[in-house]
């Protein structure tokens, strides 16, 4: 049975006739058996047979299908590169990236993308770079440009390729260095496909030659096809005849020749079949091993895992050209790997180490920066820096600390306390290195030492060190400042770190003291004063004792709190004086606050006055003004503890008068209905708030102020009831509170400290010191008035009780002296529970100051009162006279405002013909204006006494005449009863 010839199977044609026009050179005929053997699939097929004539159906997985689709897309992209179709190339490039993403499971198992993908994207990158260079050259030389649409598409393609290839830069670098490792079976498939195309073309050409051999058609079709496919000359028996071919012509050869030719043909066919089979088996093995894990791929995967573990994220890895070690390469590849991998050399020169640290430090601030990886890289260089001296180590530590401070946050967000502790540990390690660097500073070369460009110079590292210390202090202050829950554990943990920082400050101060560097010494001393000035000696001593148990034995003598803390603060203040003007002011204020805290009121006041700190504080920044207000508040409390009531009231009145102590001391935000703060004002006010542990107790402050005002203002009110001419006001706050208390219809027990003081003041006005003390006895001020000595509360309470008794005695004498003719000394002693000596002293002082008109008898046992005080009717007359004088003055002011005469009558205004200094008199007569022109005009009051006028011109007499006449009439009426005989 003859098999029908087919151009796909390569079999011989069934036609026994041949064309006479057939070419003399015949093409080889592909046998049916060889054509039936299709290329093997990627996966092994156990049932495949070389002798199988039936084509089996191959089942592929989704992964294989996607892989084949990606290969086809890569081939399509290559064709589009040949015709410069940029728009389609963009789509092809994005498509193969998406296809690879779908194969990510297999890619992860294999340790990387297929080699065909890597070669494709690398070729596309080279293609875009080559075209870009050509376009630039053509534009520069010939002025040729691409069309706008193609130029836009090319730019988009180039940008996408450069961005997308960054994710596979490691594989591309391997391809550049070892291209032979990326020769995969895909290239063999391409070559074989091209060969198949050429074979198919030869098959089409060989159909005619195979049909011309009619003599061989009677033989076996397989043998004839095999023999005809052996070589191009095996079946060309009729090469010399162009006439019609017959079977008799071919059978004229001898049998021996025919058998030898057939045997030779079979032998060649078997050898070629075995070679083809071996090639197919090799191709099949390559396809099978594409997705299997081999030793080579396992080594690659292990190296990538190690690099990922060491370097962290892929983005933070340094793009070093590291070749992959292949098995069987020997010692050459291992040595090449060390060179190409960029491993650290055994030794660095100082310049190379500085350059390396600078390159690593430049990674700060970039996208994908990992602080942990950054610190690890610098730690690896520390072993090299240790061999080169302390300056190289300082440079590396300063780079680390700078990276720690990158996480400080915003102005209202403090640095995390764990990062702060890490930075503190590094700065502590820098201090001994700085000491060694200072010792070797003189041995260094002058040019190298003074080089400003050298980042490792001693002066530069020392400035950075001081800046780090100040930054640590600022971040700790900010953390305490913006912690919301001041009673929680977080605030306590942050506050506990202040003792750690105190250790660093003390060590740095000792270093600069030993080296006598005044500029840095002043900065560190100011920071140390800021940590100590607001704490009493008892608290500072406890902190020093706790630190002493933690430091080494050689440092323990430095942690004994000095007994004379004032001298220690004065020494620190002298260190600060080497700095700027602002630092000097703050140091003086710190010292004054510390003195006032320890009951040295006179020394603190002298320091404020001698240094003129009040005016300097007004010209300083807001933080210095807040510090000055804190000093005033502490001085007021100090004077109150010492019993200096007048001085205490003077200091506390400046802080507490307008009920703004919270804002003036930066211990809270101000809220006012009449003023709307802007965002900038609110932000600035929040930034200047003090941490909670530095606050002054506002309740104690206000209570002390009200008690001082009560002790001064209540006797003053009683004295003004006797002498209405006394208009002195000591405390407007207390007077306003008393007026509100009098307007209340029902008054209950006091609910706060201010109401307690007002209730005590009302009792004190009656001379009832027992009820006054009952209102003040239970206040909380006595337990918190002296933070340095909690036992001082009882002593201060006893002192204030004595003050209340004394002022009650004075108030009683002012209020009831007009009723009694005499007071017995024993009676006053029993009433106010005071010693006789103190009562005698108080009454004598009142007589000397002419506060009462009285005298002692011969035995000094009686106070004889002279009744020269005005009667109630006389007091009303004096009050009426004062109101009448005020009404006259107001009326004259209104007349002057309407007429514009300002006190001059019509005749005087008409006589104004000369200069201002000639009005109302001759030349040079300037007495009318009261200044610059001679003596002031005099006038006589109702009692015949002469004094200077307080008015302007001649109107001074007219304005005061009504008040003087009224007062004179009242005096004449009372002169008959001896009131005018009161001593002056």
């Amino acid at each position: 049975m003859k098999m029908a010839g087919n151009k796909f199977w390569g079999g011989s044609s069934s036609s026994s006739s041949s064309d006479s026009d057939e070419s003399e050179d015949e093409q080889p005929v592909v046998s049916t058996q060889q054509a039936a053997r299709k290329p093997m699939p990627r996966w092994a097929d156990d049932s495949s047979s070389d002798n199988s004539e039936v084509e089996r159906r191959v089942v592929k997985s989704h992964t294989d299908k996607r892989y084949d689709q990606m290969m086809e897309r890569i081939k399509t992209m290559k064709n589009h590169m040949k015709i410069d179709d940029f728009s389609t190339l963009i789509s092809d490039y994005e498509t193969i990236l998406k296809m690879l993403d779908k194969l990510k499971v297999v890619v992860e198992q294999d340790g990387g993308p297929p080699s065909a993908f890597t070669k494709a994207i690398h070729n596309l990158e080279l293609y875009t770079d080559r075209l870009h260079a050509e376009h630039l050259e053509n534009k520069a030389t010939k002025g040729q440009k691409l069309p706008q649409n193609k130029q836009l598409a090319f730019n988009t393609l180039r940008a996408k390729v450069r961005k997308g290839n960054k994710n596979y830069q490691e594989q591309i670098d391997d391809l550049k260095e070892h291209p032979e490792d990326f020769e995969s079976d895909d290239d063999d498939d391409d070559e074989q496909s091209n060969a198949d195309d050429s074979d198919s073309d030869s098959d089409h050409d060989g159909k005619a030659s195979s049909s011309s051999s009619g003599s061989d058609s009677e033989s076996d079709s397989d043998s004839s096809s095999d023999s005809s496919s052996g070589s191009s000359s095996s079946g060309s028996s009729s090469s010399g005849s162009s006439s019609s071919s017959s079977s008799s012509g071919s059978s004229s050869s001898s049998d021996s020749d025919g058998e030898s030719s057939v045997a030779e043909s079979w032998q060649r066919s078997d050898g070629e079949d075995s070679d083809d089979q071996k090639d197919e088996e090799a191709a099949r093995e390559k396809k099978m091993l594409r997705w299997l894990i081999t030793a080579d791929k396992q080594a690659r995967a292990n190296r990538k895992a190690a690099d990922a573990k060491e370097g962290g994220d892929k983005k933070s890895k340094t793009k070093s050209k590291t070749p992959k070690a292949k098995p069987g390469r020997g010692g050459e590849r291992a040595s090449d790997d060390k060179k190409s991998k960029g491993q650290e050399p055994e030794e660095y020169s100082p310049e190379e180490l500085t350059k390396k640290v600078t390159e690593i430090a430049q990674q700060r601030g970039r996208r994908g920066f990992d602080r942990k990886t950054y610190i690890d890289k610098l730690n690896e260089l520390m072993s090299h820096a240790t061999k080169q001296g302390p300056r190289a180590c300082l440079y590396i530590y300063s780079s680390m600390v700078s990276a720690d401070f990158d996480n400080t946050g915003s102005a209202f967000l403090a640095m995390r306390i764990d990062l702060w502790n890490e930075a503190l540990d590094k700065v502590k390690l820098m201090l001994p290195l700085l000491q060694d660097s200072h010792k070797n500073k003189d041995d260094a070369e002058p040019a190298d030492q003074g080089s400003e460009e050298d980042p490792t110079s001693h002066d530069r590292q020392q400035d950075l060190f001081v800046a780090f210390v100040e930054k640590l202090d600022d971040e700790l202050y900010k953390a305490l400042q913006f912690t919301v829950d001041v009673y929680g554990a977080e605030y306590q943990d942050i506050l506990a770190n202040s003792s750690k920082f105190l250790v660093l400050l003390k060590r740095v101060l000792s270093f600069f003291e030993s080296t006598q560097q005044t500029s840095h010494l002043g900065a560190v001393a100011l920071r140390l004063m800021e940590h100590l000035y607001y704490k009493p000696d008892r608290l500072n001593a406890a902190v020093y004792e706790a630190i002493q148990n933690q430091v080494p034995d050689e440092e323990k003598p430095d942690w004994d709190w000095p007994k004379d803390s004032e001298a220690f603060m004065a020494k620190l203040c002298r260190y600060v004086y080497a700095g700027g003007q602002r630092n000097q002011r703050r140091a003086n204020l710190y010292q004054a606050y510390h003195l006032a805290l320890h009951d040295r009121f006179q020394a603190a006041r002298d320091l404020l006055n001698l240094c003129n700190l009040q005016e300097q504080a007004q010209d300083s920044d807001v933080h210095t003004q807040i510090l000055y207000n804190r000093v005033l508040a502490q001085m007021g409390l100090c004077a109150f503890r010492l019993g200096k009531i007048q001085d205490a009231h003077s200091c506390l009145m400046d802080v507490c008068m307008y009920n703004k102590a919270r804002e003036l001391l930066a211990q809270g935000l101000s809220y006012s209905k009449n003023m709307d703060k802007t965002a900038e004002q609110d932000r600035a006010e929040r930034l200047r708030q003090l941490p909670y542990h530095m606050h002054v107790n506002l309740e104690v402050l206000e209570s002390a102020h009200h008690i001082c005002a009560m002790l001064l203002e209540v006797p003053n009110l009683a004295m003004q009831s006797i002498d209405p001419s006394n208009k002195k006001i000591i405390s407007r706050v207390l007077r306003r509170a008393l007026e509100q208390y009098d307007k209340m219809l029902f008054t209950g027990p006091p609910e706060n400290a201010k109401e307690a003081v007002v209730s005590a003041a009302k009792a004190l006005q009656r001379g009832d010191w027992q009820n006054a003390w009952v209102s003040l006895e239970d206040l909380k001020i006595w337990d918190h008035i002296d933070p340095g000595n909690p036992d001082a509360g009882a002593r201060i309470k006893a002192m204030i009780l004595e003050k209340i008794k004394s002022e009650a005695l004075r108030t009683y004498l002012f209020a009831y002296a007009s009723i009694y003719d005499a007071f017995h000394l024993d009676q006053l002693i029993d009433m106010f529970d005071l010693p006789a000596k103190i009562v005698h002293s108080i009454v004598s002082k009142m007589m000397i100051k002419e506060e009462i008109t009285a005298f002692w008898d011969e035995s000094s046992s009686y106070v004889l009162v002279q009744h020269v005080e005005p009667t109630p009717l006389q007091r009303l007359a004096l009050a009426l006279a004062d109101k009448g004088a005020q009404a006259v003055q107001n009326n004259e002011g209104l007349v002057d405002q309407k007429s514009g005469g300002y006190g001059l009558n019509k005749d005087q205004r008409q006589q104004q013909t000369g200069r201002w200094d000639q009005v109302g008199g001759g030349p040079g007569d300037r007495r009318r204006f009261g200044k610059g022109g001679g003596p002031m005009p005099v006038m006589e009051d109702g009692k015949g006494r002469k004094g200077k006028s307080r008015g302007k011109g001649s109107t001074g007499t007219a304005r005061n005449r009504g008040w003087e006449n009224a007062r004179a009439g009242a005096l004449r009426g009372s002169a008959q009863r001896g009131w005018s005989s009161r001593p002056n």
Side-chain angles (χ1 to χ4, degrees):
M1 179 178 179
K2 297 182 180 179
M3 183 177 289
N6 195 320
K7 64 178 180 179
F8 296 105
W9 293 94
S12 61
S13 176
S14 62
S15 176
S16 61
S17 63
S18 60
D19 295 338
S20 59
D21 298 333
E22 185 177 355
S23 173
E24 296 179 359
D25 300 328
E26 293 182 356
Q27 300 293 332
V29 181
V30 181
S31 64
T32 306
Q33 182 180 358
Q34 182 179 359
R37 289 196 297 268
K38 302 299 288 182
M40 297 298 293
R42 290 195 307 275
W43 301 99
D45 190 358
D46 297 335
S47 64
S48 64
S49 176
D50 295 339
N51 298 326
S52 177
E53 297 180 358
V54 182
E55 183 179 3
R56 297 179 181 274
R57 180 171 177 263
V58 179
V59 180
K60 297 183 179 181
S61 64
H62 291 288
T63 304
D64 296 334
K65 290 181 181 179
R66 288 171 180 170
Y67 180 82
D68 294 338
Q69 292 174 3
M70 186 171 66
M71 294 299 107
E72 292 296 331
R73 195 70 178 188
I74 289 174
K75 294 178 182 179
T76 305
M77 187 174 68
K78 292 179 181 178
N79 295 332
H80 291 155
M81 289 169 60
K82 296 178 182 178
I83 61 176
D84 295 341
D85 191 354
F86 304 134
S87 301
T88 313
L89 282 173
I90 295 173
S91 177
D92 294 338
Y93 182 72
E94 293 176 347
T95 303
I96 63 174
L97 291 179
K98 293 179 181 178
M99 289 179 176
L100 184 68
D101 186 55
K102 293 179 180 180
L103 295 169
K104 60 182 179 180
V105 178
V106 184
V107 170
E108 292 175 357
Q109 293 177 356
D110 188 43
S115 58
F117 172 82
T118 306
K119 290 183 66 176
I121 62 175
H122 177 54
N123 293 334
L124 182 60
E125 184 177 5
L126 295 177
Y127 166 76
T128 55
D129 293 341
R130 178 176 57 81
L131 286 184
H132 181 65
E134 292 178 359
H135 294 163
L136 292 179
E137 184 178 359
N138 293 336
K139 182 179 179 182
T141 57
K142 302 178 182 180
Q144 297 179 357
K145 297 182 181 180
L146 288 175
Q148 185 176 2
N149 56 348
K150 294 199 70 176
Q151 183 66 39
L152 181 61
F154 176 73
N155 293 338
T156 304
L157 173 65
R158 184 167 177 264
K160 285 182 176 294
V161 170
R162 293 178 65 184
K163 182 179 179 181
N165 285 9
K166 289 182 180 180
N167 299 328
Y168 310 98
Q169 189 64 37
E170 187 177 356
Q171 289 79 9
I172 293 175
D173 293 340
D174 295 341
L175 173 61
K176 291 178 181 179
E177 294 191 5
H178 304 285
E180 66 275 4
D181 297 340
F182 287 81
E183 292 180 359
S184 62
D185 53 335
D186 302 317
D187 299 333
D188 299 336
D189 292 343
D190 295 340
E191 293 176 0
Q192 187 168 357
S193 63
N194 295 333
D196 291 341
D197 294 341
S198 62
D199 291 342
S200 64
D201 295 339
S202 64
D203 290 341
H204 289 295
D205 295 338
K207 284 196 302 180
S209 62
S210 63
S211 61
S212 64
S213 57
S215 60
D216 298 332
S217 60
E218 295 177 358
S219 62
D220 187 75
S221 61
D222 294 339
S223 62
S224 64
S225 62
D226 293 338
S227 62
S228 63
S229 64
S231 63
S232 61
S233 61
S234 62
S236 57
S237 61
S238 59
S239 59
S241 62
S242 59
S243 59
S244 62
S245 33
S246 60
S247 61
S248 60
S250 62
S251 63
S252 61
S253 59
S254 61
D255 295 338
S256 60
D257 296 337
E259 291 176 359
S260 62
S261 63
V262 170
E264 184 180 357
S265 176
W266 272 102
Q267 186 178 2
R268 288 195 301 267
S269 177
D270 293 339
E272 291 174 359
D273 289 343
S274 62
D275 294 339
D276 293 341
Q277 185 176 1
K278 290 180 180 179
D279 294 339
E280 290 176 359
E281 289 177 356
R284 180 179 62 185
E285 185 179 358
K286 276 189 176 182
K287 294 178 180 179
M288 289 170 61
L289 295 177
R290 178 186 300 145
W291 299 105
L292 296 180
I293 300 177
T294 61
D296 182 15
K297 294 181 180 179
Q298 183 66 33
R300 288 186 184 182
N302 293 338
R303 281 194 301 272
K304 289 181 180 178
D307 294 340
K309 184 177 180 181
E310 181 181 358
D313 194 6
K314 219 172 194 179
K315 296 181 180 179
S316 63
K317 290 181 180 179
T318 56
K319 299 179 181 179
S320 60
K321 298 181 179 180
T322 307
K324 303 299 179 183
K326 296 292 180 179
R329 292 273 180 178
E332 292 181 352
R333 174 53 61 88
S335 61
D336 294 339
D337 289 343
K338 287 183 179 180
K339 294 180 181 179
S340 60
K341 192 174 182 180
Q343 290 182 350
E344 303 296 339
E346 295 181 358
E347 295 293 339
Y348 274 107
S349 64
E351 293 77 11
E352 292 175 350
L353 183 61
T354 302
K355 184 178 179 181
K356 183 68 176 178
V357 176
T358 304
E359 290 177 358
I360 297 175
Q362 288 175 354
Q363 297 178 5
R364 290 172 51 205
R366 294 182 180 177
R367 186 177 181 181
F369 171 74
D370 187 5
R371 191 183 67 88
K372 185 179 182 302
T373 306
Y374 175 83
I375 297 297
D376 293 340
K377 291 179 180 179
L378 291 177
N379 281 328
E380 292 176 359
L381 299 175
M382 188 59 68
S383 59
H384 302 280
T386 306
K387 302 176 183 178
Q388 298 182 8
R391 289 170 55 183
C393 298
L394 281 173
Y395 183 48
I396 295 179
Y397 274 126
S398 61
S399 301
M400 292 182 183
V401 177
S402 299
D404 292 336
F405 285 137
D406 289 342
N407 302 317
T408 52
S410 62
F412 295 96
L413 184 61
M415 186 177 180
R416 276 173 35 200
I417 199 63
D418 55 341
L419 297 178
W420 185 90
N421 281 314
E422 292 180 7
L424 178 66
D425 295 337
K426 296 183 181 70
V427 174
K428 285 183 178 180
L429 294 175
M430 291 177 67
L431 182 58
L433 296 173
L434 191 67
Q435 294 173 351
D436 296 340
S437 176
H438 184 79
K439 293 177 182 178
N440 301 329
K441 181 180 178 182
D442 298 333
D443 299 336
E445 296 180 2
D448 186 47
Q449 177 184 350
S451 176
E452 297 180 356
E453 298 180 357
D454 184 13
T456 63
S457 62
H458 173 78
D459 294 337
R460 183 171 183 177
Q461 293 301 320
Q462 183 170 271
D463 294 340
L464 279 175
F465 177 78
V466 177
F468 290 153
V469 172
E470 293 179 345
K471 184 66 175 176
L472 285 172
D473 191 13
D474 295 338
E475 290 301 324
L476 180 63
Y477 184 86
K478 193 192 300 183
L480 293 168
Q481 186 180 15
F482 295 113
T483 302
V484 179
D485 187 10
V486 296
Y487 296 104
E490 181 183 1
Y491 191 86
Q492 302 298 328
D493 294 341
I494 298 174
L495 190 59
N497 291 314
S498 61
S499 60
K500 300 180 183 178
F501 183 72
L502 194 62
V503 175
L504 176 64
L505 273 180
K506 197 70 165 46
R507 292 174 179 173
V508 175
L509 183 72
S510 301
F511 166 66
F512 286 122
E513 278 181 344
S514 60
T515 56
Q516 296 181 357
Q517 301 182 49
T518 56
S519 58
H520 295 311
L521 181 61
V524 177
L526 185 67
R527 296 282 177 171
L528 185 58
M529 291 184 70
E530 190 172 357
H531 280 264
L532 300 177
Y533 82 97
Y534 62 91
K535 301 175 185 176
D537 286 344
R538 188 171 61 91
L539 180 57
N540 280 328
V543 172
Y544 267 49
E545 184 179 359
I547 295 175
Q548 192 178 27
N549 297 327
Q550 300 175 0
V551 298
D553 294 337
E554 59 272 11
E555 295 186 15
K556 287 186 177 181
D558 297 335
W559 292 101
D560 290 329
W561 180 251
K563 296 181 180 179
D564 189 2
S565 61
E566 302 168 9
F568 177 65
M569 297 295 289
K571 184 181 71 172
L572 295 178
C573 187
R574 287 195 298 270
Y575 289 156
V576 177
Y577 259 75
Q581 187 70 20
R582 178 177 180 270
N583 291 341
Q584 293 178 6
R585 296 173 185 175
R586 295 187 67 85
N588 286 327
L589 291 173
Y590 289 154
Q591 187 179 2
Y593 189 100
H594 189 77
L595 290 172
L597 186 63
H598 296 88
D599 295 340
R600 296 293 303 279
F601 176 79
Q602 191 67 34
R605 186 175 63 179
D606 292 344
L607 184 61
L608 289 180
N609 294 334
L610 290 176
C611 297
N612 199 15
L613 293 179
Q614 182 176 3
E615 295 182 2
Q616 292 183 7
Q618 293 176 357
D619 300 335
S620 301
D621 57 326
V622 64
H623 295 283
T624 306
Q625 294 176 8
I626 292 171
L627 181 57
Y628 177 77
N629 295 337
R630 286 170 54 83
V631 173
L632 282 182
Q634 195 59 240
M635 287 181 62
L637 294 178
C638 174
F640 182 80
R641 292 192 296 266
L642 297 176
K644 301 178 180 295
I645 303 300
Q646 183 65 47
D647 294 331
H649 183 264
S650 299
C651 295
L652 296 175
M653 182 176 59
D654 296 337
V655 180
C656 303
M657 175 179 288
Y658 300 104
N659 199 19
K660 292 185 177 181
R662 190 181 302 274
E663 294 82 10
L664 293 176
L665 299 177
Q667 297 181 185
L669 302 178
S670 61
Y671 297 99
S672 178
K673 299 180 180 179
N674 302 326
M675 181 182 66
D676 295 334
K677 292 185 296 185
T678 62
E680 294 294 333
Q681 292 175 345
D682 184 71
R683 180 176 180 273
E685 189 173 4
R686 290 181 183 275
L687 287 176
R688 61 173 175 257
Q689 297 301 307
L690 289 174
Y692 179 76
H693 70 283
M694 297 177 64
H695 285 189
V696 177
N697 196 326
L698 293 179
E699 185 177 359
V700 172
L701 198 69
E702 293 177 355
S703 299
H705 173 242
H706 293 149
I707 291 174
C708 293
M710 178 193 71
L711 295 176
L712 296 175
E713 186 64 30
V714 170
N716 184 50
L717 287 173
M719 186 172 58
Q720 287 180 356
S721 63
I722 299 176
D723 187 7
S725 62
N726 185 6
K727 302 294 183 181
K728 183 180 179 180
I729 298 177
I730 297 177
S731 177
R732 296 182 182 275
V733 176
L734 184 64
R735 289 201 176 193
R736 193 178 303 113
L738 290 174
E739 291 175 359
Q740 293 177 358
Y741 186 87
D742 293 335
K743 293 179 181 178
M744 295 173 61
L745 297 178
F746 301 99
T747 57
E751 298 179 357
N752 51 40
K754 184 177 179 180
E755 292 183 359
V757 174
V758 173
S759 177
K762 295 300 293 182
L764 193 61
Q765 282 183 330
R766 303 188 301 268
D768 188 1
W769 63 271
Q770 290 92 347
N771 290 331
W773 178 244
V774 169
S775 301
L776 301 178
E777 188 176 8
D778 297 332
L779 293 180
K780 297 180 180 180
I781 182 177
W782 316 118
D783 298 331
H784 306 284
I785 188 62
D786 193 355
N789 186 12
D791 299 333
R795 177 184 61 81
I796 298 173
K797 283 177 65 174
M799 181 267 298
I800 295 298
L801 178 59
E802 295 296 325
K803 294 287 183 181
I804 290 176
K805 293 178 181 179
S806 300
E807 298 302 326
L809 174 60
R810 296 180 70 243
T811 304
Y812 180 80
L813 292 177
F814 284 137
Y816 302 106
S818 59
I819 300 176
Y820 295 93
D821 292 332
F823 294 100
H824 197 280
L825 183 60
D826 297 335
Q827 180 186 5
L828 297 177
I829 292 173
D830 295 337
M831 288 178 61
F832 298 100
D833 195 15
L834 289 172
K837 185 177 180 180
I838 294 179
V839 173
H840 194 280
S841 175
I842 293 173
V843 176
S844 298
K845 288 180 181 179
M846 295 176 67
M847 295 177 183
I848 294 173
K849 293 180 180 180
E850 298 183 358
E851 293 176 348
I852 58 174
T853 55
F855 57 92
W856 292 101
D857 64 343
E858 292 81 0
S859 62
S860 298
S861 300
Y862 290 92
V863 180
L864 303 179
V865 181
Q866 294 181 348
H867 294 285
V868 294
E869 288 78 11
T871 61
L873 180 61
Q874 291 173 343
R875 294 195 185 98
L876 292 175
L878 291 175
L880 178 62
D882 291 338
K883 292 182 180 179
Q886 185 66 31
V888 171
Q889 186 176 0
N890 293 338
N891 291 335
E892 290 183 355
L894 292 174
V895 172
D896 292 341
Q897 185 178 3
K898 291 182 178 180
S899 61
Y902 299 100
L904 301 177
N905 55 28
K906 182 177 180 181
D907 296 336
Q908 289 175 335
R909 288 197 299 270
Q910 291 178 355
Q911 295 176 1
Q912 293 179 359
T913 56
R915 298 192 311 270
W916 63 272
D917 56 349
Q918 298 178 355
V919 177
D925 187 4
R926 297 168 59 184
R927 293 177 299 168
R928 187 177 304 277
F929 296 91
K931 288 184 180 180
M936 297 290 294
V938 297
M939 54 174 288
E940 292 187 1
D941 56 8
K943 295 190 291 182
R945 293 179 296 184
K946 295 184 179 181
K948 294 185 179 180
S949 169
R950 292 176 295 176
K952 291 185 178 180
S954 61
T955 58
T957 303
R959 289 183 178 181
N960 293 283
R961 187 174 300 130
W963 178 80
E964 293 295 340
N965 291 339
R967 184 178 178 84
L971 291 175
R972 294 191 196 96
S974 61
Q976 299 176 358
R977 292 186 295 272
W979 177 41
S980 59
S981 62
R982 184 179 60 180
N984 295 325

